[in-house]
Amino acid sequence: MKKLPDGRWVDEAPWSDDADLSAPERSDMDAPNWVLVWRKFKRHKLGLISGIFLLLSYLMLPVAGFIAPYTPNERSADYLYAPPQSINLWHEGSFVGPYVYPTTATADLQNFRWTYQTDTSRPMPLQFFCKGNEYNLFGFIPSDTHLFCAPEGATVFLWGSDRLGRDVFSRILYGAQLSLTVGLIGITVSFALGIFFGSIAGYFGGKTDWFINRMIEILRSLPELPLWLALSAAVPSNWGPVSVFFIISIILGILDWPGLARAVRSKFLSLREEEYVRAAEMMGAKPGRVIRRHLLPNFMSHLIASATLSIPAMILGETALSFLGLGLRAPAVSWGVMLNDAQNLASIEIYPWTAIPMLPIIFVVLAFNFLGDGLRASLDPYKG
């Protein structure tokens, strides 16, 4: 731009007939919706950090056996209730690399507990990419290679061992495969039922709406925990861990859908009166197409936020059932099953590391809640 003597400004760039006069002066103001959502979500620091944490957690699930130094039910009879061990790098002022000190167990017959003595004079370097017990990589590829292993004559219990001498750290990694997956399966069942019944009730109204509303009210009036316990207790005890896992996931999903169905119904009751819905109906669109192509996309942001906020409830539900002995059972490994072994308060007082499985549950539930808050605030980028 050039300023003339009379105070006017003139653009010195040559005129082009190909210029798009309708284009905005700033291209960033005409960005796609997902770009606007991402820009707003990045400003929600807790949500962004939680999303990264959960992404890494789920990416870790297929390779948990590779990261874990032991398999979930591998026992060390000489190291019952072994305390957590630290991995050190320096020994007496010289760099040794990652190593552990060997420990020996002795029975304290006076206090009836195991005590461990650490030999700090012998640093024993860890082995990397070593051979160990076999596991399935990605669920179906047999492998016996572990990221790191204990050296011969020593152990590497990062978070201690339990009453059977099983590594708590390895069991937490394996337990994440079931505890984190149960939420995804449960929320899939819940959303399929909630969207189906809620959309039918909200779109058609009348007797259909009345009947579905009464069904929702009956389900919501039942006490949740006793109903969980009753349905879980009905699962045959001779079923395998995989069958019980899917049944528990389906039970959690079936009991969670009424809340979502009511939210979908109320939204559809208002959206079905919009002009674009009436126009689609006048052009001959069938109800299924109107719901699928015109109503649900306008409600998708709320559904995504609801999903991230509902998954923690599923995880806590499985944990509660397994903790009470009515969910997953050994030899299956989940965080709830691990906490079931830590019901004895006297044992926790003596061996506090047996309660460590509470920590990943707390972190994952908080992460999902923070992620849900971030998504709920970001999925409508034109608001706020």
Side-chain angles (χ1 to χ4, degrees), residues 178-186 245 248-249 252 314-315 318:
L178 293 184
S179 294
L180 293 181
T181 309
V182 70
L184 298 182
I185 298 177
F245 167 70
I248 294 298
S249 303
L252 294 173
M314 302 284 180
I315 295 175
E318 181 275 326

Side-chain angles (χ1 to χ4, degrees), residues 147-165:
L147 177 62
F148 65 97
C149 303
E152 190 69 27
T155 58
V156 55
F157 296 137
L158 299 181
W159 291 344
S161 66
D162 63 6
R163 60 187 178 87
L164 297 177

